[in-house]
């Protein structure tokens, strides 16, 4: 089959309307237009990448693939006017994040669109997010010995494997994402953490207040991919929402689900506790797109996909 490869590069955030479209789109209405939401995402957030069907013309799409920050994108063809994929902006990204989208058409034409997504400048805190000083049990404050370091590495690899496998799972989430707890947020995503006086890491989740035994609800539909008792995360549940997206719920006292269970938004999957490296009972909520850790609160802004159309019931032959 004849193959024509065309390429376009988008450097500016396109919040539509047509007047803001770059020259390539005005010269040819058959080249796809790629936009994203939010227009200037924060580092460490989920972004929605949109390919607008209206500009694609009659030459139908046979496949669409893409990469953002090295992770594959999964476009959902269920929307009528556009195709949408989620992606993750790494917390350490500065200036812009690069997306590349490849659209194969029935005619053999291949369109490649490269986009440089501008990131929001963190002007408020030029020195970075504030540090948090935490006091934990001495065994968590010390440098781990080699056996413990090996255990932590092994557990981290298990969690990353869940994230990688999620790229093979079809999208399972529906509707909006919901908070796992209605309570106060006690620690935000991305802040520097000092444990017993030593800076160890950035806070990789969002902490919600809660007394031991209070409910933890899953944010959206998915499959329980891992139930674990980890050194740092304590008793934890990892839920694969499909199409690259995983959420996890740490430090639980009780777990109500098993690996392989399908869970729906709002279902109680466990109870708040203080297992693992903690200062007291709370929920630590994690979100990952592939291997990219993102602020789970940014999931709450994702537009729901269109509802699944029910097939009309087959008409019984009249007798
Ligand atoms: Zn936390």
């Amino acid at each position: 089959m004849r193959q024509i490869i065309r390429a376009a590069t988008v450097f500016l955030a396109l919040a539509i309307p047509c007047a803001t479209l770059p020259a390539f789109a005005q010269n040819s209405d058959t080249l796809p237009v790629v936009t994203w939401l939010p227009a200037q995402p924060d580092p460490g957030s989920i972004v929605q990448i949109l390919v607008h069907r209206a500009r694609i013309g009659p030459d139908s799409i046979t496949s669409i693939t893409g990469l953002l920050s090295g992770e594959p994108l999964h476009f959902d063809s269920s929307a009528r006017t556009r195709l949408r994929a989620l992606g993750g902006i790494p917390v350490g990204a500065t200036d812009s994040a690069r997306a590349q989208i490849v659209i194969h058409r029935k005619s053999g034409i291949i369109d490649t669109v490269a986009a440089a997504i501008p990131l929001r400048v963190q002007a408020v805190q030029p020195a970075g997010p504030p540090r948090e000083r935490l006091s934990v049990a001495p065994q968590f404050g010390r440098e781990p010995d080699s056996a413990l370091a090996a255990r932590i590495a092994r557990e981290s690899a298990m969690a990353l494997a869940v994230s990688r496998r999620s790229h093979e799972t079809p999208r399972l989430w529906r509707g909006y994402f919901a908070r796992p707890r209605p309570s106060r947020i006690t620690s935000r995503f991305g802040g520097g953490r000092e444990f017993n006086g030593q800076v160890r890491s950035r806070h990789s989740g969002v902490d919600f207040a809660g007394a031991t035994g209070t409910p933890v609800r899953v944010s959206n539909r998915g499959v329980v991919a891992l139930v674990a008792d980890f050194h740092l995360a304590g008793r934890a549940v990892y839920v694969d929402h499909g199409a690259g997206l995983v959420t996890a719920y740490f430090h639980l006292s009780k777990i109500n689900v098993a690996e392989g269970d399908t869970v729906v938004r709002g279902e109680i999957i466990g109870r708040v506790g203080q297992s693992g490296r903690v200062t007291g009972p709370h929920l630590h909520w994690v979100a990952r797109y592939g291997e990219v850790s993102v602020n789970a609160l940014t999931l709450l802004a994702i537009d729901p996909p269109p509802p699944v159309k029910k097939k009309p019931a087959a008409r019984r032959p009249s007798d």
Side-chain angles (χ1 to χ4, degrees):
M1 183 184 276
R2 175 182 67 114
Q3 285 202 333
I4 300 169
I5 299 176
R6 305 185 297 183
T9 304
V10 191
F11 285 109
L12 296 169
L14 307 176
I16 301 281
C18 291
T20 64
L21 295 178
F24 77 84
Q26 287 165 348
N27 292 343
S28 165
D29 42 324
T30 63
L31 270 165
V33 170
V34 174
T35 64
W36 48 86
L37 286 171
Q40 266 190 296
D42 283 320
S45 67
I46 282 284
V47 63
Q48 303 180 64
I49 310 281
L50 307 165
V51 174
H52 296 265
R53 275 188 198 278
R55 293 262 163 187
I56 287 167
D59 190 3
S60 62
I61 296 172
T62 53
S63 78
I64 175 163
T65 57
L67 277 180
L68 172 66
S69 312
E71 294 284 342
L73 300 173
H74 307 284
F75 284 90
D76 211 321
S77 58
S78 57
R80 265 186 310 159
T81 57
R82 63 192 195 188
L83 298 152
R84 188 258 306 265
L86 301 182
I89 310 282
V91 70
T94 50
D95 197 30
S96 68
R98 191 175 164 74
Q100 190 170 43
I101 295 146
V102 179
I103 300 163
H104 291 251
R105 317 282 203 87
K106 203 174 163 192
S107 64
I109 289 175
I110 299 168
D111 287 324
T112 303
V113 181
I117 299 174
L119 304 180
R120 203 149 74 103
V121 181
Q122 305 278 323
V124 185
Q125 296 165 333
R131 278 183 191 172
E132 233 180 309
R133 291 193 175 81
L134 303 171
S135 294
V136 292
Q139 73 267 26
F140 290 106
R142 281 194 298 268
E143 206 56 54
D145 63 26
S146 60
L148 181 55
R151 177 184 169 188
I152 293 170
R154 207 167 49 238
E155 293 174 348
S156 166
M158 283 170 77
L160 280 178
V162 168
S163 293
R164 277 195 290 270
R165 282 199 301 272
S166 177
H167 283 306
E168 313 302 322
T169 310
R171 175 174 62 78
L172 301 173
W173 61 274
R174 295 172 180 170
Y176 283 102
F177 282 79
R179 289 175 175 235
R181 300 243 335 125
S183 56
R184 187 168 57 90
I185 290 167
T186 53
S187 179
R188 296 202 165 262
F189 173 85
R193 302 318 274 295
E194 272 183 25
F195 287 95
N196 299 357
Q198 290 181 299
V199 177
R200 287 285 178 79
S201 58
R202 298 228 162 263
H203 189 219
S204 61
V206 180
D207 289 352
F208 288 83
T212 296
T214 48
V216 171
R217 297 174 186 275
V218 68
S219 180
N220 206 319
R221 186 168 174 269
V223 166
V224 176
L226 179 64
V227 170
D229 190 354
F230 285 165
H231 177 73
L232 298 175
R235 303 187 71 196
V237 175
Y238 288 77
V239 176
D240 179 1
H241 301 288
L245 195 62
V246 169
T247 59
Y249 308 79
F250 290 5
H251 311 310
L252 304 176
S253 57
K254 186 171 182 285
I255 291 172
N256 297 2
V257 289
E259 288 174 12
D261 286 356
T262 295
V263 287
V264 295
R265 179 181 54 241
E267 190 172 332
I268 297 175
I269 54 169
R271 301 277 168 178
V272 171
Q274 51 180 331
S275 53
R277 184 177 67 182
V278 290
T279 56
H282 71 279
L283 170 68
H284 174 101
W285 185 32
V286 165
R288 274 185 177 158
Y289 183 83
E291 295 189 22
V292 178
S293 284
V294 294
N295 180 350
L297 292 177
T298 64
L299 300 181
L300 307 180
I302 299 172
D303 302 317
V308 184
K309 267 194 202 145
K310 281 195 185 139
K311 278 189 190 151
R315 219 185 268 170
R316 295 178 63 183
S318 53
D319 37 27

